[in-house]
Amino acid sequence: MAFLKSDTPFDVLKHLVVIGLAVALLLFGFFFVYLPMTTNHGETIVVPKVTGMRQSDLEDYLDERNLRYFVDDSSYSPNIPAYTVLTQDPAPGQQVKEDRKIYISVSMKNPPVIKMPKLTEGSVKNAQMILASYDLVVGDIRKVPDLAQNSVLKQLVNGKEIEPGSPIAKGTRVDLVVGDGQGNQEFPVPNVINMPADEASTLLVGQGLQVGEIFYQPAVEGEVEGTIVKQRPVAALGATIRMGQLVDLWVAGNEPLKAVQ
């Protein structure tokens, strides 16, 4: 706007005031009218709870509330129907702007496939811990005669052995065959009566047996102190025993004094 030469200083000041008011009015309209209308300034939406809902129902449900969703994760659980919403972010009850994305995780239809871990040659307790860490299910634990007590001998799925590294779906039931600490070979009960206690123990261990409890009793006439006067099971005719089983011994005389450390 040009000022005429005939304008007085008062006229110039008046024009400047008008220009200033016009600029102020434009700024006010832009920041307090236009921007709020285009950005929904000050208008928020309460985030609804969507966990537990089916993913197929989310589109219309959130669209009615001017919200959207995005699947950023998934996991498998045999007890939850497929495509169920498991988690959400932001959480229910939070205030957000319109058109905000709700990030969700959903349950998978099929379990992920992993590699079967090696369970054999380890303890049954360790095998149970490994199966749980791999999201596999501990099935039947069947004990069989074997000197490796509580050691896993076989790992089975549906009755068939499965090799370590084989593909297996999470949630699969894995059965274990475990040693009971006793062999399956039976033989006559050895007779250790009248043998010195140390020789009797050596003989039993050498035949794959275990020395059980040792009892001491006063020697009677005809008994030599330190020798075996009774055993259980007895070495009767036809009596048999399996490898790994216990044999209790009775020794004539008093229990030897233990050396003081």
Side-chain angles (χ1 to χ4, degrees):
M1 179 184 294
F3 298 110
L4 301 176
K5 292 183 178 181
S6 59
D7 288 343
T8 63
F10 177 77
D11 292 330
V12 173
L13 180 60
K14 183 170 64 175
H15 291 313
L16 291 175
V17 170
V18 171
I19 294 173
L21 290 174
V23 171
L25 184 61
L26 287 173
L27 292 174
F28 179 85
F30 179 78
F31 285 105
F32 295 97
V33 179
Y34 175 75
L35 281 182
M37 290 179 62
T38 56
T39 63
N40 296 317
H41 180 71
E43 294 183 17
T44 58
I45 300 172
V46 177
V47 176
K49 178 183 177 182
V50 297
T51 54
M53 294 182 59
R54 299 274 297 178
Q55 183 183 349
S56 57
D57 299 330
L58 278 185
E59 190 86 37
D60 294 337
Y61 182 77
L62 292 179
D63 188 58
E64 293 174 356
R65 291 159 177 78
N66 296 320
L67 295 170
R68 295 179 295 152
Y69 76 89
F70 179 79
V71 179
D72 66 349
D73 196 12
S74 60
S75 60
Y76 176 77
S77 175
N79 301 320
I80 300 178
Y83 307 115
T84 298
V85 179
L86 302 175
T87 63
Q88 68 176 90
D89 182 37
Q94 290 191 13
Q95 301 277 345
V96 297
K97 293 285 188 66
E98 289 186 357
D99 207 37
R100 170 68 184 269
K101 282 184 180 178
I102 308 298
Y103 294 89
I104 65 171
S105 66
V106 298
S107 58
M108 301 172 61
K109 180 179 180 181
N110 299 313
V113 176
I114 58 175
K115 290 184 178 181
M116 177 67 197
K118 178 179 173 62
L119 307 176
T120 53
E121 300 179 8
S123 69
V124 64
K125 185 176 181 180
N126 186 59
Q128 290 172 314
M129 294 173 59
I130 293 175
L131 289 174
S133 67
Y134 278 74
D135 291 331
L136 297 170
V137 178
V138 180
D140 294 330
I141 298 177
R142 181 166 58 91
K143 290 197 172 185
V144 297
D146 194 278
L147 293 178
Q149 187 173 17
N150 291 326
S151 179
V152 178
L153 307 176
K154 296 180 181 180
Q155 51 196 41
L156 310 172
V157 173
N158 296 325
K160 297 181 179 179
E161 285 195 61
I162 179 170
E163 295 293 329
S166 301
I168 185 173
K170 284 189 176 183
T172 300
R173 178 188 177 98
V174 180
D175 300 324
L176 304 175
V177 178
V178 180
D180 64 359
Q182 300 177 1
N184 55 6
Q185 179 181 354
E186 290 192 359
F187 51 91
V189 178
N191 186 3
V192 294
I193 301 297
N194 297 325
M195 293 180 61
D198 55 349
E199 291 183 15
S201 297
T202 301
L203 174 66
L204 294 174
V205 172
Q207 295 193 20
L209 300 172
Q210 301 183 61
V211 177
E213 295 189 74
I214 298 179
F215 305 95
Y216 290 86
Q217 61 186 35
V220 298
E221 186 177 352
E223 294 178 347
V224 179
E225 289 197 10
T227 60
I228 306 301
V229 295
K230 181 181 176 182
Q231 68 179 71
R232 182 174 58 198
V234 297
L237 182 64
T240 59
I241 192 170
R242 283 195 308 175
M243 292 183 65
Q245 286 190 306
L246 299 172
V247 178
D248 298 328
L249 304 174
W250 279 258
V251 183
N254 297 321
E255 182 177 359
L257 296 176
K258 295 181 180 179
V260 179
Q261 298 292 331

